[in-house]
Amino acid sequence: MPSISINIKSGTLQNKDYILGIDLGTTNSLVAVMDGDQAEPKALKGKGQHVIVPSLIHFGPEGQVIVGEAAKPFIVDHPERTVYSVKRLMGKSYGDLGSHSDYFGYKIIDEQDDSLVKIKIDDRFYTPIELSSLILKELKNRAEQELGGSVSKAVITVPAYFNDAQRQATRDAGKLAGLEVLRIVNEPTAASLAYGLGLDREQDHHVAVYDLGGGTFDVSILRISNGIFEVLSTHGDTYLGGDDFDRAVVEHWLGQIPQGVELSNSETQALRLKAEEAKKALSKADLSESSLEIQGQQYHFSLSKAEFNQLIAPILQRTLDACARALKDSELKLEEIDSAVLVGGSTRSEAVKEAVAGFFKHSELNDSLNPDEVVALGAAIEADILAGNRKDILLLDVTPLSLGIETLGGLMDTIIPRNSKVPNRVGKEYTTSVDGQVNMKISVYQGERELVSENRKLAEFTLQGIPAMPAGMPKIQVNFMLNADGILQVQATELRSGVKQHIEVKPQYGLTDEEVERMLLDSITHAESDVKTRMVVEAKTEAEQILYVTERFIAKNKNLLSDQEIQSTSLLLNDLKNSLESNDKDIILGHIDELNEYTRPFAERLMDRSVSEALKGKSIDS
Ligand code: ADP
Ligand code: MG
C-alpha cells in the first residue's frame, strides 16, 4: 500500500509514494512517472522548458554547477570545464577507453590502466559516478518541483550490453543523488514495456528494439514470455548516432564554401548546430534553409530531404548490418520477429524509420510514442509494477554471462549459467582437498570458458576458521544470489560448524561491450579445446588426490603391508606422478586405475582389522 504523507514545506497532502522512471542517456536524460489518474506514464519537466535534459555538466570557475540545457553554450566556450557523454565512462578504466580517449574534450586522468577513470576539472577529480549523480539530482529536482513533494525512489535504465560494473556504477550514482534505486532495467526492456508488448499473451513474443541516439546505436532482440524479458542478442556501435548525421551535413556544407576560407572553432560549432537544426526540421519538412556568418561573410545553406537521405545512407546501412548480426545471434528468423520498436531521437528522421521498417518487414512497427521519451516512460511503468500496482505482471531479466567459482586445477565451476533469469539464487556444495585445511579461498569469475584464467575475475575472499577435519569432510555451501539488477552476492558457509563469510561483488572495472561479445565468441570457438583441457585438469586433480591419500595410508599403516607391497606401491605412485607430465588424460587415468587396482585389498584389510578391533571393544583410531 502506498503511504500517505504530508509535504511539510508546501503543506500539501501527498497521497502517493512516487517512484521515478529515469532514462540516464549519453546525450539526453529524462524522468517520467505514472500519472495518477490516467494510469499513463508522463515525462516531467519541472521548471524546465522541455522534458529532455541534455546530459551535460558545466563547472563554473566559482564552483557553480550547471546541468542540462543551460550548460550547452559552454561546450564551445569552455570545453575543458564541460562534461558530456559521461555515460560512456561509467564503470570503465582508462584501459577500457583505448583509442576513444581523445573523443572527450575534458581531461580524463590516466593513472593506472585498470583503475577507474576520473575527470579533472581545476584541482578537483570527479568520478563518472559523481558526475552522473549531478544529472540524476537535476532530474530528481524537476520531479519534486512538478509533483510537489520529495521523491526518493527510482528505477534507472541502462543499455542491455552494460556489464555489472557499469550497472553497479549507475546504481551508486543514484544513491549519491539521494535516490533509492529499486531496480536497474535494460533500455530495450523499458521501451517494449512502454508499448505494452508481449504482456498479454502466454506464448513467446519476439521484439527487435532499434535504438539510435545521439552518439550510440544498439539493437536488441528480446523474447518476452510470461512476463520474462530475455535479451537474446544485442549488437551495435557505441560511437555511431545522430551526431554522425550532423557531421555528414557539415561536411556537405563545407564543400559549398570557397576553398581557403578557414572556420574558427566557434564557427565550426555554430555550423554543427545549424546542421542539427536542419536535420530536425527535415523530419517534418522537405527543405531546410539556414544561413551563417563565416569570416565576416554571410553564407546561405540549404538542405533537401533527398540530399539528407543520401548523406546518411551509409550510416544507416551500418545500423542495418548490426540488425542482421543481432538477428543471426538470436537464432530467430526474420518472420519470427513480431514487433519492432523505434527508440532514440534519431529515429525521428523518416529515412531511419523507413530503413527499419524495410528491414523488419514482417514485424509490426511501434513508433507512436516519442522515441526520445519511450525509455523513460517504460521505466515509469516498471516503477509502477514494482510499487505493486500491477500485480498481474512479473518482470525478470536475464544474466548475459555465466557466473561461477574456481575449483581445483583452475577450472571454472559455473554456478549461475548465462541467460539465467534474475533474480536468482543457486547453492552448491564443495569440500576441502587437504587434511586439516582451515581456510578456503573462493574466487568468483564471470565468463564462458572452462579455465578461469580465460574468464574475468570478479572477486575473491577467504572462508576462514573451518574446523580442522580430514580432506573431504567439511561441507562448504557456496550460495550465489543475483539480484534483479544483476548484482551478485556470494556467501560461503561451512555447514558442520556454521562458519560463514559473505561478499558483495563489486568489480573494480568494467568490460567493454566488445569484450563481452568476444568472451561469448571465444567460448564457442574454443569449446572443443576447452573440454579437452578440462578433462586433463580433472584427471590430474584426481591423480593428485589419490597420490595424497595413498601416501598417507602407507605412512600410517605400514604394519598392515609387506615390504614387497610397500615397494610395489611406491613404484606405482612414481609412475602416476610421472604421468602427470604427459598432459594426456588417458595415460593419467590408466595409472590411476593401476594404482587403485593394486591398493584396493589394503583398504579391505584395514576395514577387517578395524572391525575385529571393534569387536574386541577397542576404540578405532580413524
Ligand atoms: P541518447 O539516448 O543517446 O541520450 P536521444 O535518444 O535523446 O539520445 O537522441 C539524441 C539524438 O536525436 C541527437 O542526435 C538529436 O539530434 C536527435 N534528434 C532529436 N530530435 C530529432 C529530430 N526531430 N529529427 C532527427 N533527429 C533528432
Ligand atoms: Mg537513449
Side-chain angles (χ1 to χ4, degrees), residues 25-28 213-214 242-243 276 279-280 283 344-346 348-349 372:
T26 310
T27 315
N28 295 313
D243 298 348
E276 188 180 0
K279 168 185 79 176
K280 289 185 181 173
S283 310
S346 299
R348 284 176 187 269
S349 290
D372 30 27

Side-chain angles (χ1 to χ4, degrees), residues 150-170:
S150 74
V151 199
S152 63
K153 293 181 182 151
V155 167
I156 305 178
T157 59
V158 296
Y161 58 77
F162 256 31
N163 62 42
D164 35 67
Q166 293 166 299
R167 285 164 198 264
Q168 184 69 52
T170 305

Side-chain angles (χ1 to χ4, degrees), residues 123-419:
D123 294 335
R124 264 211 64 180
F125 295 93
Y126 296 89
T127 63
I129 295 174
E130 289 171 273
L131 295 167
S132 294
S133 84
L134 295 171
I135 299 171
L136 291 171
K137 255 184 217 155
E138 169 68 24
L139 296 172
K140 178 174 183 272
N141 284 345
R142 285 178 164 228
E144 290 177 342
Q145 283 161 4
E146 193 159 338
L147 300 171
S150 74
V151 199
S152 63
K153 293 181 182 151
V155 167
I156 305 178
T157 59
V158 296
Y161 58 77
F162 256 31
N163 62 42
D164 35 67
Q166 293 166 299
R167 285 164 198 264
Q168 184 69 52
T170 305
R171 172 174 276 275
D172 289 346
K175 213 185 280 174
L176 209 55
L179 289 167
E180 183 191 342
V181 182
L182 299 184
R183 194 171 285 191
I184 298 287
V185 187
N186 287 327
E187 287 162 11
T189 300
S192 307
L193 262 183
Y195 281 104
L197 293 177
L199 293 177
D200 52 350
R201 36 172 112 196
E202 295 276 290
Q203 84 261 47
D204 290 3
H205 190 85
H206 300 126
V207 184
V209 181
Y210 176 103
D211 184 347
L212 189 61
T216 62
F217 165 67
D218 50 273
V219 53
S220 307
I221 312 271
L222 310 187
R223 178 191 328 202
I224 309 173
S225 70
N226 296 314
I228 296 168
F229 287 71
E230 185 179 351
V231 179
L232 296 179
S233 60
T234 173
H235 260 283
D237 188 332
T238 44
Y239 289 87
L240 180 74
D243 298 348
D244 296 288
F245 293 180
D246 306 345
R247 230 166 283 146
V249 173
V250 167
E251 291 295 321
H252 172 70
W253 283 346
L254 283 178
Q256 297 173 356
I257 59 174
Q259 291 240 314
V261 177
E262 291 283 329
L263 277 73
S264 73
N265 218 344
S266 62
E267 282 168 348
T268 308
Q269 287 299 338
L271 192 62
R272 208 190 54 75
L273 289 177
K274 291 279 179 201
E276 188 180 0
E277 274 168 27
K279 168 185 79 176
K280 289 185 181 173
L282 291 177
S283 310
K284 295 207 179 79
D286 287 328
L287 185 71
S288 152
E289 311 266 1
S290 45
S291 58
L292 185 69
E293 194 181 298
I294 296 170
Q295 303 294 318
Q297 176 123 20
Q298 197 70 23
Y299 287 90
H300 181 79
F301 297 107
S302 74
L303 188 68
S304 72
K305 193 179 265 178
E307 282 171 323
F308 175 67
N309 290 352
Q310 209 176 353
L311 287 172
I312 66 168
I315 305 171
L316 276 183
Q317 189 51 49
R318 284 168 64 193
T319 69
L320 296 184
D321 293 344
C323 291
R325 279 194 293 269
L327 184 68
K328 182 157 177 277
D329 283 1
S330 73
E331 294 178 1
L332 294 175
K333 293 196 216 50
L334 197 56
E335 310 84 85
E336 291 177 288
I337 307 291
D338 304 295
S339 315
V341 177
L342 290 183
V343 182
S346 299
T347 64
R348 284 176 187 269
S349 290
E350 229 166 73
V352 179
K353 268 187 217 184
E354 280 164 12
V356 180
F359 185 92
F360 294 105
K361 53 178 184 268
H362 304 282
S363 323
E364 166 212 10
L365 191 69
N366 292 271
D367 62 350
S368 59
L369 296 171
N370 271 341
D372 30 27
E373 289 181 13
V374 49
V375 167
L377 298 177
I381 296 176
E382 165 98 30
D384 199 41
I385 297 169
L386 290 179
N389 297 334
R390 298 183 175 205
K391 295 236 159 33
D392 48 325
I393 307 175
L394 172 72
L395 282 177
L396 295 170
D397 263 313
V398 298
T399 141
L401 291 171
S402 302
L403 295 161
I405 66 169
E406 174 176 0
T407 55
L408 276 180
L411 289 179
M412 170 87 174
D413 195 38
T414 294
I415 297 186
I416 299 185
R418 72 178 290 248
N419 276 341

Side-chain angles (χ1 to χ4, degrees), residues 40 55 67 73-74 80 86 105-106 116 132 139 142 208 215 258 262 270 307 321 386 406 408 413 481 487 536 593 599:
E40 287 270 332
S55 305
V67 177
F74 295 104
E80 74 293 349
V86 63
Y106 42 91
L116 289 171
S132 294
L139 296 172
R142 285 178 164 228
E262 291 283 329
E307 282 171 323
D321 293 344
L386 290 179
E406 174 176 0
L408 276 180
D413 195 38
M481 287 150 287
I487 291 165
V536 174
D593 282 347
T599 57

Side-chain angles (χ1 to χ4, degrees), residues 406-411 432-435 471 534-553 572-583 585 587-589 591-593 595-596:
E406 174 176 0
T407 55
L408 276 180
L411 289 179
T432 51
S433 53
V434 181
D435 281 342
R534 170 177 278 266
M535 291 198 297
V536 174
V537 173
E538 276 173 355
K540 281 187 173 177
T541 305
E542 191 184 337
E544 270 155 14
Q545 276 179 309
I546 284 170
L547 285 170
Y548 173 80
V549 170
T550 313
E551 276 165 357
R552 211 173 53 117
F553 180 90
L572 288 171
L573 285 171
N574 263 334
D575 286 349
L576 179 55
K577 266 184 214 160
N578 292 334
S579 76
L580 294 182
E581 309 286 326
S582 72
N583 278 328
K585 131 192 151 264
I587 296 181
I588 300 171
L589 290 179
H591 285 290
I592 291 177
D593 282 347
L595 181 65
N596 267 340

